[in-house]
Amino acid sequence: MAVPSYDYQGDRDQLLQWAQEALRIEAQALSHTSQHLQTGFAQAVRLMRACTGRVVVMGMGKSGHVGRKTAATLASTGTPALFVHPAEASHGDLGMIQAHDLVLALSNSGESEELSAILPLLKRLGVTLIAITGGADSTLARHAEVVLDSSVDKEACPLNLAPTASTTAQTQRRRRGAGRGCRQGQGVG
């Protein structure tokens, strides 16, 4: 794939064309996500609603950024939630997670070393694990009770490297059905 040269002082029409293409790719990712909702989605919502502890959100890199936003949104809509960084969990923060909690793990590949390292420990704790990943056959997916597919055909990045469409898909997966308080009329928009 040829990488376009970015002359930001150059042709206005070309810049608009690149922006429109990026938005088209992200819209396709959202369309793919909505068309591939499966029974796992309803199961994930039921598990989150039945959770008597907190929803502990985890993710590395860009998935971690999406995870932080997810935890904040859940908390502001009435669901007790927090973000735990997988690398920090290996160095003592795993103690923040209790058996009555639910872990919502986000990973584009499902193979991040830091997250994979703590999956057996989460299982030993007995927490419920929901995965949002583009790697349906990944280590993360194999450890999860429920897997939500966030795979995308293409990123909006010209090099297909920066997680643009995939983080959009992850964000949408976590939004649907979340927030106990929102459903009860207590949440903040």
Side-chain angles (χ1 to χ4, degrees), residues 37 46 67 70 77 135:
L37 283 178
R46 281 194 300 273
T70 300
T77 57

Side-chain angles (χ1 to χ4, degrees), residues 137-150:
D137 297 321
S138 65
T139 301
L140 175 59
R142 287 192 303 275
H143 279 82
E145 282 83 357
V146 178
V147 179
L148 302 177
D149 178 20
S150 64

Side-chain angles (χ1 to χ4, degrees), residues 63 106-111 132-135 150-152 155 163 166-167 170:
S63 294
L106 290 77
S107 174
N108 189 33
S109 68
E111 297 294 345
I132 300 178
T133 182
S150 64
S151 62
V152 297
E155 299 290 359
S166 56
T167 55
Q170 285 178 343

Side-chain angles (χ1 to χ4, degrees), residues 61-76:
K62 297 297 185 271
S63 294
H65 294 303
V66 173
R68 280 184 181 85
K69 169 66 172 130
T70 300
T73 299
L74 288 169
S76 72

